[in-house]
Amino acid sequence: MTFKDDMPLGLATDRTHSPSGFRWMVCMALALTVLLAGCDGSGGSGGTVFGPNVQLSGRVTYDSVPVAASVTPYVAYLDYAETVARPARGVQVAVIDDDGRELALGAADADGRYVLTVPKNTPVRLRAVARLYQAPGEGASWDFTIRDNTSPGYADKAASIYAVQGEAFNTGVAHLSRDLHAASGWTGAGYGNPRSAAPFAILDQIFTGMQKVLAVDQDAVFAPMNTYWSIHNRSANGDKAIGEIGTSHWQPGTDHPGLYILGKEDSDTDEYDTAVVVHEWGHYFEAKFSRSDSVGGSHGGGDLLDMRVSFGEGWGNALAGMVRDDPIYADTQGPQQSKGGVVMDLNTPADPADPPGWFNEASVQHMLYQMYKSPDIGFRSIYEVMIGPQKDTPAYTSLFSFATYLRGVVDGAGQGLTDTLLANIGMVNGAKLDIWGDEQTYPGSLAADGEDFVVPVYRDFTLGAPGERICGTYVLGKDYNKLGRFQFRRVTIDEAGAGDYTLTLDEDPGAPPLEEDELAGLYLTSRGVSKLELEFEGPRAGGYSSTVDVSLAAGVYTMAVIDQREDGTAYCQTVTLTKKP
Amino acid sequence: MKIQYLAMGIALFALTGVSHAHGITPKPGAAVAVQRADEVPLSIGVQTRLDLRFTGRPDSVLSIEYRPEDGLVLHSPATVQLRSDLRGAATDAPTVEAVTDGVHYLNVFVTEGARSRAISIRVTAGKAARDARKLDGQGQTEALPSPGTSGVTSQGEPLIILPAAE
């Protein structure tokens, strides 16, 4: 029997490349007279079957190398001795003839099992492709593929897809069973053999994430996504085509977007670091299902982050726990993947040595994971907020916006837990909480001289001359994505004010030229949609003062400005937004 | 500078590059970074100090471990401890020697507090130094060795095929 491509996952699918309609008619005719015999190889019990085809069935598995980790003592490593074969859930399975043509194509089920119909007496090979695919149509659909960014086609956006393939065999005249296993390639002291399992290990985490979403939204449509992994992928910034991907990350935009996952042995590999894979997939989720206003950048425990970054990273960490139902987030690295890079327990609040708050990703991840575990909130409520109001918030995406909207969709008990969690990290809560954090006070745990740059979280921007001089600070962190570097403004245009405006951005008189790696900019957005971006990157000999025209409809806009110098001095900018006559 | 905006939602960049409005989101890690101060190619067989700039938290201890990959030999201690200054900066200059022509990497593991981060520093030597200039967009880079064989799906997608056990 030939199945359609869009069967729900959990059923093995089979698309035989032969005249299926004719075969079906023959089958029906035969069924009238030979009740016990199968068609297309669908009947019989080990002996010769009728018809031109036989059934090929079996199971596809891959080596899963577990992460052994604990916070106390602080250890994490890949435990090769505990490697187990896991089903390659949902992957594409194909039967290939001598010429490399696909004779049959289907998908493994949730146990890695497949059933394909193949021609009798044909020399073939069995192939599993690192791809999860459900064609668009009614209901859910998805297309997740693991590719090699160091393959020749990468530059042309046609990087090779990983697959594993077995030895040739003849299909014979009876049903037959054939399993396929992708091994890790570990030979005791290193990867002495091809690392066939790695792409399937990554894909299996994506499968798990997908199931988490489908459990609360059975018709979810997943935008196609590529994951780029290679044994050459290392922690060097440079050319991704030679594996210099920086680190494992989500890359938005249009230039080879997708997940990039480390794979360099003895340096840093992430294919088995399940939490890392799901964390980065969490950024995909934000980008495609929800919204993230994160400006990205380096981040780590205890960093005082831009609120958009801390929410996105805390979300990624928390989602890793939610999807895997495991509060331990671990990242391995080093010789033989034996060192712990990061180990976190999502059930533990942020390190007491680090100021808690909306700017601390550990605070965010702890809060989200506790909400997930609570019967009064759970994943469904979190999901509904993420794909609903959080996606459309007029504010920037932050813990303020998320918590405000969550309080609106949960019952009193859920609201109570939310308020308690917010209070525990010194955040405004209850009726005073809003998406803008207007009532938020400055945490006493932060350096006192940072207060004027952190609260109010947003200031209302005054239209017209003479403009506003806006200053950031470096006292809470030097990088552009740290707390107090970007300054936020709320720009309200009423109905009478809608129209064409002139925006002027003036740097401080006498400010030195922007140097290498320094940047200044102004970003005006409406519910996540860019209206204006002015960005100036050093080295830049001249100043960056600019005047631009922009048309603004009535509504509330968010504006973020930054002058990111690295000389330890705070510089300011003057922004003027004036309606044209 | 006076610029007329013709379309809403179109970004204006004074310089091309990655906008901070759409930054990549790397995995969590120690809040540290390492960069080579220059990209001067190495001469094969000559010991050379690599000027490395570390950034981390201000006034913090950075535990460093150097592990060279094939083609590179480390002549200075493999482990050092640095203390960052009040701006979070520290420097070190391990001595390495390239023994073969090519692009090599010095793996640097930086631990700050409990967390660590692995960073690969690229070092070019000999002819590879000239080829490396192609990385700046002046040409195609040489293909890396593939761990598998090539294939294609029925839809024409390229495959890299790895062996499976049965």
Side-chain angles (χ1 to χ4, degrees):
Chain A
M1 159 175 280
T2 299
F3 294 88
K4 290 166 54 181
D5 270 344
D6 57 356
M7 294 186 71
L9 200 63
L11 293 174
T13 61
D14 174 4
R15 192 178 71 224
T16 303
H17 295 175
S18 60
S20 59
F22 172 76
R23 196 169 62 247
W24 179 247
M25 286 188 290
V26 172
C27 177
M28 292 302 289
L30 286 173
L32 295 174
T33 55
V34 189
L35 295 176
L36 294 179
C39 297
D40 290 329
S42 61
S45 55
T48 302
V49 297
F50 291 104
N53 300 323
V54 293
Q55 262 187 4
L56 172 62
S57 61
R59 192 165 185 243
V60 183
T61 54
Y62 73 95
D63 272 348
S64 173
V65 183
V67 176
S70 73
V71 176
T72 310
Y74 195 92
V75 293
Y77 59 93
L78 290 188
D79 192 355
Y80 291 98
E82 296 297 320
T83 298
V84 295
R86 292 195 182 282
R89 300 176 293 174
V91 303
Q92 287 189 328
V93 184
V95 175
I96 312 301
D97 70 9
D98 274 348
D99 297 327
R101 289 181 302 151
E102 285 178 0
L103 300 178
L105 177 66
D109 67 12
D111 193 36
R113 299 186 185 281
Y114 72 92
V115 180
L116 295 171
T117 302
V118 294
K120 285 179 175 174
N121 292 317
T122 306
V124 298
R125 291 174 190 265
L126 188 61
R127 172 187 289 172
V129 181
R131 185 177 194 184
L132 304 173
Y133 181 74
Q134 174 93 322
E138 288 187 14
S141 63
W142 53 82
D143 186 0
F144 294 108
T145 309
I146 313 297
R147 298 177 185 264
D148 180 0
N149 52 290
T150 65
S151 63
Y154 175 73
D156 301 322
K157 300 189 176 180
S160 297
I161 303 171
Y162 285 99
V164 292
Q165 189 167 290
E167 298 297 322
F169 61 97
N170 195 292
T171 55
V173 296
H175 302 323
L176 68 164
S177 178
R178 201 93 178 177
D179 293 340
L180 209 55
H181 179 71
S184 72
W186 187 254
T187 51
Y191 286 112
N193 290 324
R195 293 159 65 180
S196 305
F200 295 92
I202 296 167
L203 198 60
D204 206 40
Q205 294 310 309
I206 294 173
F207 183 95
T208 308
M210 200 170 69
Q211 297 308 305
K212 198 74 182 181
V213 170
L214 290 171
V216 297
D217 185 358
Q218 63 179 359
D219 293 329
V221 174
F222 296 83
M225 186 196 79
N226 289 319
T227 297
Y228 295 101
W229 175 87
S230 164
I231 59 172
H232 304 294
N233 280 359
R234 60 169 67 251
S235 305
N237 290 310
D239 185 351
K240 290 184 171 69
I242 59 171
E244 296 175 336
I245 66 168
T247 186
S248 293
H249 67 274
W250 159 251
Q251 179 154 312
T254 56
D255 182 16
H256 297 85
L259 301 191
Y260 287 78
I261 303 295
L262 291 168
K264 183 61 184 174
E265 177 183 11
D266 294 331
S267 175
D268 196 351
T269 70
D270 282 336
E271 65 264 28
Y272 299 116
D273 290 345
T274 55
V276 174
V277 173
V278 178
H279 171 106
E280 298 306 333
W281 189 79
H283 291 311
Y284 156 86
F285 176 91
E286 283 185 295
K288 302 301 181 183
F289 280 80
S290 183
R291 180 181 124 203
S292 173
D293 297 330
S294 174
V295 292
S298 177
H299 59 97
D303 279 348
L304 309 177
L305 294 168
D306 182 305
M307 64 181 176
R308 301 166 295 179
V309 179
S310 58
F311 184 78
E313 300 305 334
W315 161 258
N317 294 340
L319 187 69
M322 298 178 201
V323 164
R324 300 175 309 125
D325 275 314
D326 182 351
I328 301 299
Y329 179 107
D331 180 8
T332 66
Q333 60 183 224
Q336 298 186 345
Q337 297 62 252
S338 62
K339 295 177 66 172
V342 172
V343 188
M344 297 183 280
D345 184 348
L346 301 174
N347 281 327
T348 303
D351 188 329
D354 300 323
W358 66 95
F359 43 78
N360 184 328
E361 71 178 79
S363 294
V364 174
Q365 74 204 28
H366 175 259
M367 178 175 292
L368 291 176
Y369 194 67
Q370 302 318 302
M371 290 170 166
Y372 163 72
K373 291 196 309 178
S374 168
D376 300 314
I377 299 178
F379 185 72
R380 184 180 296 275
S381 296
I382 293 171
Y383 177 80
E384 288 175 356
V385 169
M386 288 295 286
I387 69 166
Q390 179 82 342
K391 183 176 183 178
D392 193 44
T393 182
Y396 286 122
T397 54
S398 75
L399 190 53
F400 292 111
S401 58
F402 177 83
T404 301
Y405 294 128
L406 187 78
R407 287 188 90 261
V409 302
V410 297
D411 61 15
Q415 291 176 351
L417 174 62
T418 302
D419 290 340
T420 298
L421 291 168
L422 289 168
N424 287 346
I425 59 170
M427 279 183 66
V428 61
N429 57 81
K432 290 184 175 180
L433 175 67
D434 74 343
I435 62 173
W436 306 98
D438 277 346
E439 299 290 325
Q440 180 63 50
T441 56
Y442 190 67
S445 53
L446 296 178
D449 51 357
E451 180 167 358
D452 288 346
F453 306 94
V454 174
V455 291
V457 179
Y458 300 81
R459 294 176 193 267
D460 284 309
F461 185 78
T462 304
L463 299 171
E468 181 182 350
R469 188 166 182 262
I470 301 174
C471 306
T473 183
Y474 58 90
V475 300
L476 302 169
K478 197 177 77 169
D479 293 340
Y480 76 94
N481 68 347
K482 300 302 184 289
L483 183 65
R485 295 307 310 246
F486 271 100
Q487 294 294 300
F488 306 120
R489 294 294 181 269
R490 179 170 46 201
V491 182
T492 303
I493 306 291
D494 60 23
E495 291 292 340
D500 295 331
Y501 282 79
T502 297
L503 184 145
T504 301
L505 176 68
D506 287 320
E507 65 180 323
D508 262 1
L514 287 170
E515 301 292 343
E516 182 85 29
D517 296 330
E518 294 182 338
L519 179 142
L522 178 151
Y523 310 83
L524 186 68
T525 57
S526 171
R527 297 176 187 270
V529 177
S530 174
K531 294 295 178 187
L532 176 64
E533 292 182 17
L534 289 171
E535 191 164 272
F536 305 92
E537 193 175 343
R540 183 178 174 84
Y544 62 75
S545 293
S546 301
T547 299
V548 298
D549 291 343
V550 58
S551 180
L552 298 175
V556 178
Y557 297 81
T558 46
M559 183 166 70
V561 296
I562 186 171
D563 186 318
Q564 180 216 350
R565 313 280 181 151
E566 299 194 341
D567 62 359
T569 306
Y571 292 96
C572 304
Q573 301 149 303
T574 300
V575 181
T576 310
L577 188 58
T578 309
K579 190 173 185 187
K580 299 178 85 171
Chain B
M1 173 165 69
K2 176 84 171 178
I3 302 164
Q4 293 291 328
Y5 251 80
L6 300 177
M8 299 293 287
I10 294 177
L12 170 70
F13 296 92
L15 289 173
T16 58
V18 176
S19 165
H20 282 188
H22 313 285
I24 68 166
T25 50
K27 69 175 180 176
V32 294
V34 190
Q35 277 189 313
R36 194 178 163 198
D38 60 61
E39 296 189 5
V40 177
L42 271 58
S43 299
I44 295 173
V46 177
Q47 294 188 17
T48 306
R49 287 162 59 91
L50 296 181
D51 289 327
L52 301 182
R53 294 175 180 169
F54 296 79
T55 53
R57 292 186 180 180
D59 194 26
S60 62
V61 174
L62 306 176
S63 297
I64 315 296
E65 181 181 359
Y66 298 112
R67 295 183 69 91
E69 293 187 6
D70 290 347
L72 208 59
V73 175
L74 180 69
H75 289 286
S76 53
T79 59
V80 295
Q81 281 211 335
L82 306 175
R83 178 173 284 279
S84 61
D85 64 18
L86 294 179
R87 293 176 58 191
T91 60
D92 192 31
T95 302
V96 298
E97 176 189 350
V99 294
T100 60
D101 179 78
V103 176
H104 309 302
Y105 294 90
L106 176 66
N107 287 318
V108 184
F109 299 95
V110 187
T111 302
E112 185 184 57
R115 294 184 173 198
S116 64
R117 187 182 286 278
I119 298 149
S120 296
I121 302 295
R122 185 171 70 177
V123 176
T124 57
K127 178 178 179 296
R130 295 191 297 275
D131 294 343
R133 296 194 194 101
K134 295 178 180 177
L135 299 177
D136 297 327
Q138 297 173 28
Q140 296 295 313
T141 55
E142 287 184 20
L144 292 169
S146 171
T149 58
S150 298
V152 65
T153 69
S154 58
Q155 290 78 39
E157 292 258 34
L159 293 173
I160 178 169
I161 301 169
L162 303 173
E166 291 172 284

